[in-house]
Amino acid sequence: MASLARVLEDLWAVIEARKREPSADSWTSRLIADPTLAAKKLGEEAVETALAAVRGDKAAVAAESADLIYHWLALLAAVGVSPEAVAAELSARAGRSGLEEKASRP
């Protein structure tokens, strides 16, 4: 079984390749070219993931989470944010309570 980190790295590599060399028949290329579409799809997949969790359907949560992560990465590519920028933000928050971090936001 591949590690999540490895799968995400491989998926990001494919998305970056589609960004460098768009293809007319590629869903990934369409998402990257249209950040609004990518954002809408991300929202749709987030709702579907949440609904699967509410139903207690573990298989659906896993499947919808895969869709969610894919669309999240496509959105990052569409708006020019790297996964490393997200990792840096998460690292900066490490060691702080989630409630404390949220309260510090303007």
Side-chain angles (χ1 to χ4, degrees):
M1 179 180 192
S3 74
L4 177 60
R6 181 66 188 175
V7 170
L8 293 176
E9 287 175 7
D10 291 347
L11 179 56
W12 181 250
V14 170
I15 290 169
E16 282 192 310
R18 287 288 187 264
K19 188 170 185 174
R20 284 190 308 274
E21 297 179 27
S23 171
D25 62 347
S26 166
W27 177 242
T28 301
S29 293
R30 286 183 55 195
L31 291 170
I32 293 168
D34 186 348
T36 300
L37 175 62
K40 286 178 182 178
K41 288 302 297 179
L42 178 66
E44 176 185 316
E45 298 303 341
V47 169
E48 290 174 359
T49 303
L51 291 173
V54 168
R55 289 191 313 270
D57 185 341
K58 291 180 181 182
V61 169
E64 295 298 345
S65 292
D67 291 344
L68 176 63
I69 291 169
Y70 161 75
H71 285 92
W72 170 66
L73 289 173
L75 178 66
L76 291 182
V79 299
V81 173
S82 70
E84 291 78 16
V86 177
E89 182 64 32
L90 288 170
S91 291
R93 296 178 186 187
R96 293 177 69 189
S97 138
L99 295 175
E100 175 188 326
E101 192 282 326
K102 188 170 182 162
S104 72
R105 295 182 197 174

